[in-house]
């Protein structure tokens, strides 16, 4: 007879292998007797969608029904395949028949979608309970995942898919902003706790700044990398669940990348992704325009590949633009590669040929932070000096010079802790928590109270201490032109995260990017741009209405809680909070870039899907995916 935990694990493993470990579903309440509780789960839409996709795979003629024979056959094959992977006992044909009887409630010889959902989620009243019921310590997996960089052997060009161990406790990843054209914020990782980790449920004092994601991730042993959004050129690094076929609307794990400590995205028409592992190796995948993946000449990559030119070095951080890449080593050296058309590689000259081999840039000291964006690069030295080089359009180098480009690193300012390069402008956080901004300011995105641009750093006054800054990336220009007279045109929007966890936004109000609108509105030409930092949760510029989705948060939007990290992309943005939840808002469009409910079903949950693909404007925060982080966040004291 099948054991209860075996049946639970079979369903759990099935959904994870089909749709990715990020959407952990509940097992049935069917015990060995085959009985099923009558109550139906009340769960969040993404989980239910994942299970529907599993059912549709068994529905061979696509009529919404699975015959008794088909269901028996699929379940039998499923049990056989899972047993081979996780080394659990076999289910007999009698056991399978009991399950089939339990699922087919109306005894018509067929299983419909609702019967299947009742079976999988029966007895669970909320997704928290679903996740809790899924974890069963009595069932242990004996498969140890192979981590990139853990072996002395040369890693394969494409990392193999790995079985997902359960239960898993998520950790959080420091993320770099993505563009509207690339997988949006591909960094919502999840990882098992290391063996030495304190698994007490009692909060404990954090040993590091809660906002220092890199330091905390290293302490936890890294995290599982998740990606979502556009996947046309392989920038997702995974191909488990696609809707539509080239994109991924919900976070899914990247096979092989389970111990990631930093991830960065490169924009352009198609995107690329770089992930740094705990062992200090850099893996890249996606579009290889101008050799920006660091592998030299070659095709686009749909699976992570180690940058062999940096083998033997210990990388701690990477950055990517539309056509070049950068890596920061543990010893403070900075390597760059890709296009050098504006001198962004810092080699003292500009040239049309792309440098596909990572080469160190000469700096007057060891670096602690790097960034790069379209046509330019930056590095913060350990003494707080910020150096920039490359394209100087709109004065974005911050050096106060009028030159079109600077091909060697030049000093922009001092006393800096971190820098954020936007496509048209840039900013830095000082060691004292101050905010410095420079470059294009036509949409009020510098937070200085007007639409002026500046070629040297300007202090943003009357602002509480800042932890992290996110300038808009992936924006080659502004729809409607630069310096709009009224506002609301497609332009930059800046996000600053305070030490207190407050979220501040400034710049264009286009499509709800600032979180200062309550009713769905494209805000075209409306005078709602914010010239000074607007605190999320403050007074709204227009009326409030219920959110489009159960995952949407009604005003006041600061109810998301203290934030620790933000990203600002072309026409959407995202924030990661101290409780481990991630939120996105702005334009969800047609590629799933916000990681929310298949672009949102505009008819509502429980109704036939009609996807709002091109007018998916989200005025306020919507919960990304269905990942649950609260337990691990409590454990490590990030509160």
């Amino acid at each position: 007879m099948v054991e209860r935990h075996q049946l639970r694990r079979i369903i759990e493993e099935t959904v994870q292998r089909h749709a990715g470990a990020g959407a952990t579903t509940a097992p049935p309440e069917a015990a060995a007797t085959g009985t099923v509780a009558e109550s139906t789960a009340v769960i969040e839409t993404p989980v239910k969608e994942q299970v529907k996709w599993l059912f549709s795979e068994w529905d061979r003629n696509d009529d919404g029904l699975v015959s008794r024979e088909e269901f028996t056959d699929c379940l039998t094959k499923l049990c056989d395949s899972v047993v081979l992977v996780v080394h659990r006992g076999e289910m007999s044909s009698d056991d399978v028949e009991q399950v089939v009887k339990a699922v087919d409630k109306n005894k018509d010889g067929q299983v419909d979608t609702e019967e299947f959902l009742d079976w999988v989620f029966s007895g669970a009243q909320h997704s928290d309970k679903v996740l809790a019921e899924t974890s069963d310590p009595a069932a242990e997996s004996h498969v140890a995942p192979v981590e990139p960089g853990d072996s002395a052997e040369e890693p394969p060009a494409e990392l193999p898919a790995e079985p997902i161990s359960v239960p898993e406790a998520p950790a959080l990843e420091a993320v770099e902003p993505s563009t509207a054209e690339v997988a949006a914020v591909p960094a919502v990782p999840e990882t098992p706790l290391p063996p030495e980790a304190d698994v007490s449920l009692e909060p404990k004092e954090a040993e590091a700044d809660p906002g220092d994601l890199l330091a905390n991730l290293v302490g936890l042993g890294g995290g599982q990398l998740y990606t979502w959004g556009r996947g046309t050129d392989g920038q997702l690094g995974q191909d488990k669940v696609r809707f539509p076929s080239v994109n991924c609307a919900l976070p899914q794990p990247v096979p092989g990348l389970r111990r990631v400590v930093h991830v960065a995205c490169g924009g352009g028409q198609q995107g690329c992704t770089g992930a740094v592992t705990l062992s200090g190796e850099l893996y890249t995948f996606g579009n290889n325009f101008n050799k920006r993946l660091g592998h030299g000449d070659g095709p686009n990559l749909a699976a992570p590949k180690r940058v062999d030119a940096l083998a033997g070095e210990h990388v701690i951080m990477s950055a990517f633009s539309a056509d070049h890449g950068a890596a920061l080593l543990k010893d403070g050296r900075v390597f760059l590669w890709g296009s050098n058309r504006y001198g962004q590689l810092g080699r003292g000259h500009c040239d049309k040929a792309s440098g596909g081999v990572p080469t160190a840039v000469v700096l007057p000291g060891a670096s602690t932070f790097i960034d790069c964006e379209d046509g330019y690069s930056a590095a913060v030295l350990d003494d707080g000096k910020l150096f920039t080089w490359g394209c100087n359009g709109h004065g974005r180098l911050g050096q106060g010079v009028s030159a079109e480009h600077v091909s060697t690193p030049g000093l922009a300012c001092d006393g800096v802790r971190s820098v954020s390069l936007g496509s048209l402008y840039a900013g830095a956080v000082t060691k004292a928590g101050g905010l410095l901004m420079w470059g294009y300011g036509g949409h009020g995105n510098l937070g200085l109270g007007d639409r002026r641009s500046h070629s040297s750093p300007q202090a943003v006054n009357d602002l509480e201490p800042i932890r992290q800054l996110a300038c808009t990336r992936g924006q080659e220009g502004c729809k409607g032109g630069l310096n709009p007279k009224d506002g609301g045109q497609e332009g930059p929007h800046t996000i600053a995260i305070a030490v207190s966890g407050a979220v501040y936004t400034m710049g264009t109000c286009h499509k709800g990017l600032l979180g200062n609108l309550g009713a769905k509105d494209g805000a075209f030409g409306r005078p709602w741009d914010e010239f000074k930092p607007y605190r999320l949760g403050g007074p709204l510029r227009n009326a409030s209405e219920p959110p489009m989705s159960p995952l949407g948060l009604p005003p006041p939007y600061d109810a998301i809680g203290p934030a620790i990290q933000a990203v600002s992309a072309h026409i959407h943005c995202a924030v990661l909070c101290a409780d481990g939840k991630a939120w996105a808002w702005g334009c969800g469009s047609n590629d799933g870039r916000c990681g929310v409910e298949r672009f949102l079903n505009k008819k509502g949950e429980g109704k036939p899907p009609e996807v709002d693909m091109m007018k998916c404007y989200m005025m306020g925060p919507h919960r990304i995916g269905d990942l649950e982080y609260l337990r691990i966040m409590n454990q490590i004291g990030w509160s």
Side-chain angles (χ1 to χ4, degrees):
M1 188 68 65
V2 62
E3 296 293 333
R4 185 180 183 184
H5 75 265
Q6 289 178 325
L7 188 55
R8 288 180 168 187
R9 294 293 183 170
I10 287 169
I11 299 302
E12 179 180 318
E13 294 278 352
T14 304
V15 178
Q16 288 182 341
R17 290 189 301 114
H18 175 82
T24 308
T25 64
E29 286 293 313
T33 60
T35 60
V36 177
E38 292 298 323
S39 59
T40 301
V42 179
I43 60 171
E44 294 177 289
T45 302
V47 181
K48 192 171 287 187
E49 290 291 340
Q50 301 279 8
V51 180
K52 287 180 180 178
W53 283 329
L54 173 62
F55 181 83
S56 66
E57 197 171 70
W58 294 354
D59 182 10
R60 293 168 181 168
N61 62 358
D62 201 28
D63 65 351
L65 296 171
V66 174
S67 70
R68 191 183 189 88
E69 291 74 19
E70 287 174 334
F71 191 82
T72 302
D73 181 56
C74 290
L75 187 58
T76 302
K77 291 179 180 178
L78 165 63
C79 295
D80 291 340
S81 64
V82 174
V83 165
L84 292 176
V85 175
V86 299
H87 307 288
R88 302 190 179 103
E90 295 184 6
M91 287 181 68
S92 68
S93 58
D94 291 338
D95 296 332
V96 174
E97 183 65 19
Q98 283 188 342
V99 175
V100 174
K101 288 180 179 179
V103 179
D104 184 16
K105 284 187 175 181
N106 60 9
K107 310 303 178 186
D108 64 353
Q110 299 185 105
V111 177
D112 60 32
T113 305
E114 291 307 315
E115 287 177 331
F116 186 63
L117 290 174
D118 285 347
W119 176 60
V120 174
F121 293 110
S122 58
Q125 297 301 316
H126 190 268
S127 61
D128 290 342
K129 183 175 180 181
V130 169
L131 291 171
E133 286 291 316
T134 301
S135 300
D136 186 347
E140 298 181 356
S141 171
H142 301 286
V143 178
V146 179
E147 303 295 350
D150 284 353
S151 172
E153 298 180 359
E154 187 73 11
E158 294 187 2
L159 298 175
E162 300 172 353
I164 305 297
S165 60
V166 179
E168 289 191 349
L172 297 179
E173 173 59 65
V175 297
E176 291 295 327
S178 68
T179 68
E181 292 81 17
V182 75
V185 200
V188 184
E190 184 169 324
T191 184
L193 286 171
E196 67 275 13
D198 181 1
V199 295
S200 169
L201 293 179
E202 293 297 324
K204 66 180 181 180
E205 183 178 354
E207 297 180 358
D209 179 357
D212 190 350
L213 299 183
L214 178 58
N216 280 288
L217 263 179
V218 170
L220 286 170
Q224 169 68 53
L225 177 62
Y226 281 73
T227 58
W228 63 95
R230 184 173 297 188
T232 49
D233 281 29
Q235 61 265 48
L236 297 181
Q238 47 83 7
D239 195 18
K240 292 292 185 182
V241 176
R242 295 298 176 88
F243 180 84
S245 59
V246 297
N247 300 323
C248 181
L250 294 169
Q252 302 298 328
V254 177
L257 289 181
R258 295 170 61 87
R259 301 182 69 187
V260 174
V261 296
H262 189 271
V263 64
C265 296
Q269 181 58 36
Q270 308 301 338
C272 72
T273 308
V276 178
T277 66
L278 182 67
S279 58
E281 293 178 312
L282 173 61
Y283 287 81
T284 61
F285 44 100
N287 184 281
N288 194 32
F289 181 62
N290 275 330
K291 309 174 187 177
R292 64 175 166 173
L293 295 184
H295 308 299
D297 288 318
N300 300 336
L301 297 176
K305 180 180 179 182
R306 189 184 70 179
V307 178
D308 290 335
L310 294 174
E313 305 286 2
H314 192 110
V315 180
I316 61 172
M317 182 180 185
S318 67
F320 295 88
S321 77
D323 58 10
H324 78 295
L328 173 62
L329 273 54
K330 190 175 183 179
D331 61 13
R333 288 178 292 156
V334 177
F335 282 72
L336 294 119
W337 60 92
S339 173
N340 193 41
R341 73 191 191 281
Y342 296 115
Q344 62 261 49
L345 300 187
R347 300 176 181 177
H349 64 274
C350 303
D351 54 57
K352 294 182 180 180
S354 297
V357 178
T359 303
V361 61
V362 178
L363 291 163
S367 299
T368 59
F369 198 96
I370 62 170
D371 200 4
C372 66
E373 186 33 0
D374 190 24
Y376 70 130
S377 309
V380 177
L381 305 191
D382 56 7
D383 61 2
K385 289 184 172 64
L386 171 64
F387 282 81
T388 59
W389 59 96
C391 179
N392 192 38
H394 304 287
R396 55 184 153 173
L397 292 182
Q399 298 178 15
V401 299
S402 59
E404 293 183 0
H405 56 81
V406 176
S407 57
T408 56
L411 181 64
C413 55
D414 200 354
V416 169
R417 185 176 66 204
S418 64
V419 63
S420 176
L421 302 186
S423 302
L424 303 170
Y425 69 111
V429 178
T430 71
K431 291 184 177 181
L435 185 60
L436 302 175
M437 302 294 297
W438 63 91
Y440 171 79
H443 285 72
N445 49 287
L446 300 184
L448 300 172
D450 53 36
R451 296 185 184 273
R452 296 178 184 176
S453 298
H454 296 270
S455 62
S456 59
Q458 307 292 311
V460 179
N461 298 318
D462 303 322
L463 191 61
E464 62 178 301
I466 297 300
R467 167 181 288 144
Q468 184 251 339
L469 173 69
C471 295
T472 300
R473 302 174 70 94
Q475 195 166 61
E476 297 176 359
C478 301
K479 184 181 291 185
L482 300 176
N483 301 301
K485 293 181 179 180
D486 296 321
Q489 298 299 321
E490 193 170 294
H493 61 287
T494 307
I495 305 177
I497 304 297
V499 173
S500 67
V503 179
Y504 290 89
T505 62
M506 58 203 92
T508 181
C509 64
H510 184 72
K511 297 182 179 179
L513 287 169
L514 301 179
N516 66 344
L517 305 180
K520 183 175 178 180
D521 196 318
F524 298 98
R526 301 294 182 88
W528 295 337
D529 291 353
E530 299 290 352
F531 297 163
K532 291 187 177 181
Y534 165 82
R535 181 165 177 158
L536 195 70
L540 299 175
R541 293 281 195 159
N542 66 354
S544 176
E545 63 184 23
M548 299 168 59
S549 154
L551 298 186
L553 186 72
Y557 300 136
D558 58 354
I560 59 176
I564 56 176
Q565 192 84 357
V567 293
S568 173
H570 177 44
I571 47 177
H572 74 292
C573 55
V575 165
L576 187 63
C577 291
D579 63 0
K581 294 182 175 68
W583 305 82
W585 62 92
C587 182
S589 197
N590 62 347
D591 53 18
R593 67 189 70 171
C594 287
V596 178
E597 288 190 323
R598 300 202 314 179
F599 327 123
L600 300 176
N601 177 8
K602 64 184 178 183
K603 282 192 173 181
E605 166 62 15
K607 297 180 180 179
E610 182 177 332
V611 178
D612 193 352
M613 296 182 71
M614 291 308 296
K615 292 186 178 180
C616 181
Y617 305 159
M618 295 178 286
M619 302 297 100
H622 282 60
R623 176 84 180 275
I624 294 177
D626 190 60
L627 305 177
E628 182 54 64
Y629 298 109
L630 187 56
R631 185 172 72 87
I632 183 63
M633 297 302 287
N634 286 337
Q635 288 174 11
I636 63 178
W638 288 8
S639 60

